Amino acid sequence: MRTRVRGWRWRHNPLRRRSDVVEAWTAVAVAVLLFVGAPLAGAAAAWWGHDQARDAARQQLAERHRVSATVVGPPPAALPTVQAGGQHAYRATVRWTAPGGARPTTAARVPAGTRPGDTVRVWLDSRGRAVPPPADGAVVWQHTLTLGVCAAASTALAVLLAQGLVRRVTLRRRLAEWERAWAGTEPHWTHRRPA
């Protein structure tokens, strides 16, 4: 029959070793780090990530502009479509009117089913190249949550790995302490003389 005594590592008794006390304090530290430290690390990383993603989205919005363009090239028959924002899209040649009156062309992603002559809205950079739309609020929050969860999980994993290392070291020390104690006690029990 096995009986479990809670808190035996905290009470003074002749069987308690220093390694038991170290292991007990390690368990307390691990609990605090897991339930307080990891969430705080995740929140701090999320806060930092949110600021970085918001600044990047603002910069993208400042560097990119949206124009109305006319599809001039036929839809490619051999190229596969790309899933973009829940609808299929493909790349086609589009033409738009630049501020100076020029009519440049570029390859841009257009919705599936678009035919030559249709008008589409595309995002362009300062050089007139087609680019993806700037990050919106949903992308910023997705980045924030991903960074926060990854930071909290990484912190928890590091704490658990450190606890495993401490447990391994304390187990070795505990076994060494028990060996030394048994070496002193065994001759009294077995009536053998030490070698």
Side-chain angles (χ1 to χ4, degrees):
M1 188 160 152
R2 200 167 103 173
T3 304
R4 185 167 219 178
V5 178
R6 296 190 189 278
W8 67 271
R9 288 184 172 105
W10 298 104
R11 292 191 294 251
H12 183 67
N13 67 62
L15 297 178
R16 185 182 75 173
R17 302 284 182 242
R18 179 190 288 175
S19 58
D20 296 325
V21 175
V22 168
E23 195 170 349
W25 280 108
T26 301
V28 170
V30 165
V32 168
L33 289 173
L34 284 179
F35 294 111
V36 177
L40 285 177
W47 189 305
W48 175 81
H50 181 74
D51 289 343
Q52 296 296 320
R54 192 178 60 215
D55 291 345
R58 283 184 191 146
Q59 184 177 359
Q60 287 177 355
L61 190 59
E63 293 172 349
R64 299 172 184 183
H65 60 282
R66 197 168 184 191
V67 297
S68 290
T70 304
V71 178
V72 293
L79 294 177
T81 60
V82 178
Q83 188 78 16
Q87 64 183 21
H88 289 280
Y90 63 89
R91 296 189 71 75
T93 304
V94 297
R95 176 175 287 138
W96 74 96
T97 304
R103 306 250 323 152
T105 61
T106 190
R109 190 175 295 164
V110 297
T114 305
R115 294 181 301 240
D118 290 349
T119 301
V120 293
R121 304 275 293 163
V122 295
W123 286 92
L124 303 172
D125 63 6
S126 59
R127 293 202 239 165
R129 294 178 302 187
V131 292
D136 60 356
V139 172
V140 170
W141 279 108
Q142 180 183 15
H143 176 76
T144 300
L145 291 175
T146 301
L147 197 60
V149 168
C150 288
S154 298
T155 302
L157 181 63
V159 167
L160 293 174
L161 287 174
Q163 181 199 21
L165 181 65
V166 168
R167 284 185 66 126
R168 177 175 268 174
V169 169
T170 57
L171 179 62
R172 284 186 184 162
R173 292 214 175 158
R174 182 181 304 120
L175 291 175
E177 288 172 353
W178 279 101
E179 281 291 324
R180 284 191 299 274
W182 179 246
T185 305
E186 192 238 350
H188 299 294
W189 281 44
T190 61
H191 302 292
R192 252 193 309 177
R193 295 187 183 194

